[in-house]
Structures are given as C-alpha cells and as structure tokens.
Amino acid sequence: MLNNLRPPVQYILMTALFAGSVAGGLAVPEAAAQRSSTLGPQSVAPVARDLIPAVVNISTSQVSRSSRGVPLPEVPDGAPFKEFFDDFFHKDGEGSGVGRKVSSLGSGFVINGEEGLIVTNNHVITDADEIFVNFSDGSKLKVEKVLGRDAKTDLALLKVKPKSPLSEVKFGPSGTLEVGDWVMAIGNPFGLGGSVTVGIISAKERDINSGPYDDYLQTDAAINKGNSGGPLFNMKGEVIGVNTAIISPTGGSIGIGFAVPSDTAVNVIEQLRLYGETRRGWLGVRIQSVSDDLASSLGVDAEKGALVASVEEGSPAASSGLKNGDVILKFDGKNVMKMRGLPRIVAQTPIGKNVPVEVLRDGKRITLSVEVGRLKEPDGSKDEKETSEAEEAPKSEQKGPAIAGLSVSVVNDELRRKYKLGVKSSGLVVTAVDPSSPAAKKNLQEGDVIIEVAQAKVETLEALLKAVESVKKSGRKAVLLRIQTPRGDMRYVAVPVN
C-alpha cells in the first residue's frame, strides 16, 4: 500500500504521476485504461449477476455422541446455582448421552432446476445427519436425498424438492482451457455467504496425491474454507471446475486452489444420477512410470507411456494379449503422456467398449484390441499372499554374485518362510543390499524377488549371469529387472551392470 511507503518514495511516485499527467494530458489515464483492458475483463458483474442465484450454500449437522472422561457430580435440588450448573454441563445433551450437534458449511450449485439436482463435494456432506441448501434469495430447502457420492473425485449429487424451478448453471468444456485464461469462483467462504472472486488458470493436470484420478485445475482465484463444492466458471458463465482443495499454511487463500475439471465431473455426476454410484472402466494391469534409466533399457522416451509391471489373470488386459514389460503409449486413441494419466483414461471409458491399445513391445509398436471391463471398488479387506508353513528339510542357500550392490539366492522353502513369500514364488531372492549401492538408491530391499532380467525369466544363478553378460555385450549400461515384493507387488527397476 502507498501509505506504507517511506516519504521519499511517496514523493517520487506522486511527482512522477503529476508530471506525466501535465505533460501528456490524458496520456497516463489512457495508457492505464489500455493496460487494464488487456490484463482482464473490465467487470465481471454482468456474468456474475446471472450466476449467483444458482450457487448455493450447503449447511450440514450431525450429532456428536462423545462422552465425558469423568462422571459429573450430582447437585442436590435447591442448591445455589443449580440451574446455572445444569445449563453449563448438560447443554445440547452433553453428559446426558444425547449428544451435541456439530455443524459445517460448504458450497454447491444447481445443475437441474426442474428436478432440484445440486452438485457439491463429498467431504462437505460426509457423516451428515441433516443437509440444508440455502439460496441467495434467503430461501432454504432440506436435502431430500443424496443421490450418490464418489470419494475418489470428491463429488456428490444432492436432490431437493423445489416449489418452482430453480436457477441453474451448465457445465462447459475444461479441456479447451489454457493456462492464463480468466476464471471466476463463487461460493460461501467462512460462512459469509455468496462471494465472487476472479483469477486465472495457473496450471492444469495437477496431481496433489489426493486420489488415483488426480487431474486438478489450479487457480489463483481466492478459494477459502467454505468454498468447497462451489463452481469455477469461465467468462462465458459455464462451470469448468468444482472447487475442492487449497494449499495454505494458514487456512486462508494464498492463491493456490484446486478444482475438479468439468470433463471429469460431468461423467461422474451423470453416473451418480443414473446409478447412485460410479461405474468405472477397468483394464487389469499394474503400471509404473517410465524413468530415464528404464527408458534407455526399453527404447522409449523418458516419462512417456505407462510400463506394465504385471497383468491380472482373467482381466481384460490378459484377454487382449497385453504382457509384462509392454509400454502403453495410446489407449482408445488418447496419448498416454504419463503413467498417472492411464488410470483416468481407462476409468472414463464406457464399460464393454472395444478400444485400440498401442503398445511398445521389444522395440516395436503394435496395436491390440481390449474390451473394457468394470472396476470393482475395494471393500477395504486385505489381500494377503498365503505363505507356506510346510515343514520340509531346509535347503542350503545358493548364493549368487553381487550385482549393483545386491546379493541374491535361489528361492527355496527356507527363504519363503524367512521373507514371508508366497508359496508359488520363484526366482532369485535378494538376501542383502549394500546401503551405498545403486540398488539401494532404487529402493531394492531384502526379500524382493527378481523374476526377470532383461525381460527374460530367471530361476537360476546361471541364467542371471548369462542375462547380465548379454546386456554388457550389447553396450547397454543398465540391466532391466522385474521385481516382486514380499507383498506380491510387481515393478521394473534398471540397475547398472558395471
């Protein structure tokens, strides 16, 4: 602010402004007007005026039934301050077993005024006993039904019963947005009521580690607590995002907010409306990123595509002929630029659709046809590998050579018990890792099992040595290992051969 500047600086600024206005007449104001017209819209009032009625405040309440850690003393009837004592300790039923109400606030927006359909964030309504929708005209409706919710994209669809059609807004495409485009957020920050903020798209395709389908729009339009579930508009008045999260050390806006793109939200919301749940596509592979060292071993550009670490038996991927070590470059005509993009593309593909999948295998591009299956949502149960408890005579360890700081041995029953490996585990188990070695930097650990070397299966020390020598003769500096962890997870690692 100008008032915080030191007096000499104030004087210089004011003198320069005055001199410019006298010498150039209206040159300075005209230049300022020209800059403002190029930096952003002169006013968003015409757009905001029509959108505000469709943006709502979401208020929820739930009963907290936490009990006190110590019993309350009894106060006899007629004792001084008994009425005050009862009001203080038994307010809202606390201490009496009834529980007390806890409230929270958020935002949402109407997408169908006739049916009373409202979009918000899943976390806004989680564990709520009652949900109310407050409109900009002061009216209020109780949510009749939660039609569906999806924790992975943090979206929920609510239904109210309006007496007359409500104002509504429409979704627009988020894929056409560019970094630097102007956007406007409307919501209920800190419970203050409808508030409008303006900013730009700061970045796209942000992964904030909140779920498997992260693809957030980042904006510097002010988003605070209470804005969750509110809409992010383009300058045409179309919803291009659902405000969901912020990064802030203080709890307030620092200009880093995130919204679920409309291209993702539309598909999820439509499924919640039709089925009350999400029905995502499923391929049946475990994948990993293509790092620089893996890229040189596979003959593909770094960070491009998704490397198939394992294929689930009976899955669409297995039926299509996808194999371990394939690098998926395209799925249904869409480029897989990074590993994390594939789950999102597959999830949004209609179930039962036959799609082309372009993969790189042994240095050659081939195209397979896959019929997309339906992803079964996990029920939270653990899927643990059984270990053999058979009491057999222990076999002596066949120790192999150290490769990139690894000591390995052929898997036997004794090692299966020691490292809690599955009964069908075979290959070469890592028995020691030099903490200062390249292998340690790749997070290889004792108990990991080497299944393949240079994309060839190995079960003996001789096969390992032969594969490594072959890699050395080819002139490559690293060998590609396919690793199985004691938990059964598969991944590829490239380690130096020298």
Side-chain angles (χ1 to χ4, degrees):
M1 294 179 63
L2 191 61
N3 290 337
N4 293 330
L5 298 176
R6 291 174 294 176
V9 179
Q10 278 190 12
Y11 177 80
I12 292 171
L13 287 175
M14 295 304 294
T15 302
L17 289 172
F18 178 79
S21 63
V22 172
L26 296 177
V28 171
E30 284 179 352
Q34 185 178 4
R35 285 196 301 273
S36 66
S37 65
T38 58
L39 288 176
Q42 293 183 351
S43 174
V44 297
V47 181
R49 188 183 304 118
D50 296 332
L51 301 176
I52 288 175
V55 181
V56 300
N57 299 340
I58 307 289
S59 61
T60 68
S61 64
Q62 65 185 93
V63 176
S64 173
R65 301 187 180 279
S66 58
S67 58
R68 287 183 173 271
V70 295
L72 297 177
E74 293 293 331
V75 178
D77 292 337
F81 306 113
K82 181 182 189 310
E83 183 177 352
F84 169 78
F85 183 93
D86 289 343
D87 286 343
F88 182 80
F89 284 104
H90 297 282
K91 187 177 181 180
D92 295 329
E94 187 173 351
S96 61
V98 176
R100 61 186 182 88
K101 284 191 174 182
V102 178
S103 300
S104 63
L105 296 170
S107 303
F109 53 98
V110 181
I111 60 169
N112 189 312
E114 292 280 350
E115 298 182 24
L117 302 184
I118 297 170
V119 174
T120 188
N121 280 152
N122 176 58
H123 78 260
V124 169
I125 62 167
T126 298
D127 299 327
D129 295 318
E130 291 182 317
I131 308 171
F132 290 93
V133 177
N134 306 286
F135 297 86
S136 60
D137 62 2
S139 60
K140 182 177 183 179
L141 291 174
K142 184 176 181 179
V143 170
E144 186 179 76
K145 184 180 181 180
V146 177
L147 294 180
R149 59 178 72 192
D150 180 43
K152 290 183 178 179
T153 55
D154 198 16
L155 294 173
L157 183 62
L158 315 178
K159 180 175 176 57
V160 296
K161 190 173 182 180
K163 296 178 181 178
S164 59
L166 305 170
S167 295
E168 63 184 37
V169 290
K170 302 295 183 183
F171 282 106
S174 59
T176 57
L177 287 170
E178 296 184 10
V179 173
D181 282 347
W182 288 95
V183 289
M184 175 174 59
I186 304 180
N188 179 33
F190 301 109
L192 294 172
S195 298
V196 179
T197 56
V198 176
I200 62 169
I201 294 295
S202 307
K204 298 172 63 177
E205 300 179 0
R206 284 296 197 211
D207 181 3
I208 60 174
N209 296 316
S210 67
Y213 309 117
D214 280 14
D215 184 35
Y216 289 104
L217 299 173
Q218 181 182 323
T219 179
D220 66 352
I223 296 175
N224 292 284
K225 291 181 178 179
N227 275 111
S228 292
L232 188 67
F233 294 101
N234 60 21
M235 289 298 107
K236 295 179 181 178
E238 299 169 328
V239 179
I240 47 82
V242 182
N243 299 323
T244 299
I246 61 173
I247 290 180
S248 172
T250 62
S253 174
I254 61 170
I256 305 178
F258 301 98
V260 179
S262 58
D263 290 351
T264 298
V266 167
N267 185 47
V268 173
I269 294 301
E270 182 63 14
Q271 291 186 18
L272 296 181
R273 186 183 71 82
L274 292 175
Y275 313 117
E277 62 181 359
T278 51
R279 298 183 177 182
R280 295 186 168 94
W282 174 58
L283 185 57
V285 293
R286 287 183 178 271
I287 56 175
Q288 67 181 89
S289 298
V290 180
S291 59
D292 291 334
D293 48 5
L294 289 176
S296 62
S297 299
L298 294 167
V300 68
D301 294 336
E303 295 297 332
K304 185 177 181 180
L307 175 59
V308 177
S310 63
V311 178
E312 187 172 335
E313 292 184 10
S315 66
S319 301
S320 71
L322 270 169
K323 296 182 178 180
N324 306 325
D326 286 347
V327 179
I328 299 176
L329 303 175
K330 282 187 178 181
F331 188 91
D332 196 16
K334 301 179 180 69
N335 290 322
V336 181
M337 301 307 297
K338 293 185 179 181
M339 177 271 290
R340 65 184 179 87
L342 181 63
R344 185 173 64 253
I345 296 172
V346 175
Q348 295 176 354
T349 305
I351 297 167
K353 181 180 180 181
N354 281 292
V355 301
V357 180
E358 184 178 317
V359 303
L360 183 72
R361 179 183 296 172
D362 299 328
K364 299 178 180 179
R365 289 177 181 250
I366 62 173
T367 300
L368 307 172
S369 179
V370 179
E371 182 179 340
V372 177
R374 181 182 174 185
L375 176 67
K376 293 182 180 180
E377 300 293 339
D379 58 4
S381 60
K382 293 182 179 179
D383 181 18
E384 297 181 351
K385 301 289 184 182
E386 294 184 1
T387 57
S388 173
E389 297 296 335
E391 294 295 332
E392 298 181 8
K395 300 177 182 179
S396 60
E397 291 187 13
Q398 295 179 320
K399 293 186 178 180
I403 299 176
L406 292 176
S407 294
V408 298
S409 298
V410 177
V411 172
N412 56 39
D413 291 330
E414 181 182 7
L415 293 175
R416 287 190 185 97
R417 287 191 292 271
K418 179 179 179 180
Y419 295 113
K420 297 181 180 179
L421 305 177
V423 292
K424 296 182 179 180
S425 295
S426 62
L428 303 174
V429 65
V430 176
T431 56
V433 182
D434 183 345
S436 61
S437 68
K441 294 179 181 179
K442 300 291 183 179
N443 295 319
L444 286 166
Q445 300 175 359
E446 281 190 50
D448 287 344
V449 179
I450 300 174
I451 306 296
E452 295 177 2
V453 178
Q455 296 184 296
K457 191 173 182 179
V458 293
E459 293 186 343
T460 65
L461 301 175
E462 291 76 13
L464 171 64
L465 291 172
K466 184 177 179 180
V468 172
E469 285 301 318
S470 177
V471 170
K472 286 183 178 180
K473 289 179 181 179
S474 69
R476 284 178 286 174
K477 297 180 179 180
V479 61
L480 190 66
L481 307 179
R482 184 167 180 246
I483 304 296
Q484 181 181 32
T485 68
R487 293 178 55 186
D489 296 331
M490 298 285 188
R491 67 185 178 114
Y492 283 94
V493 177
V495 297
V497 291
N498 294 325

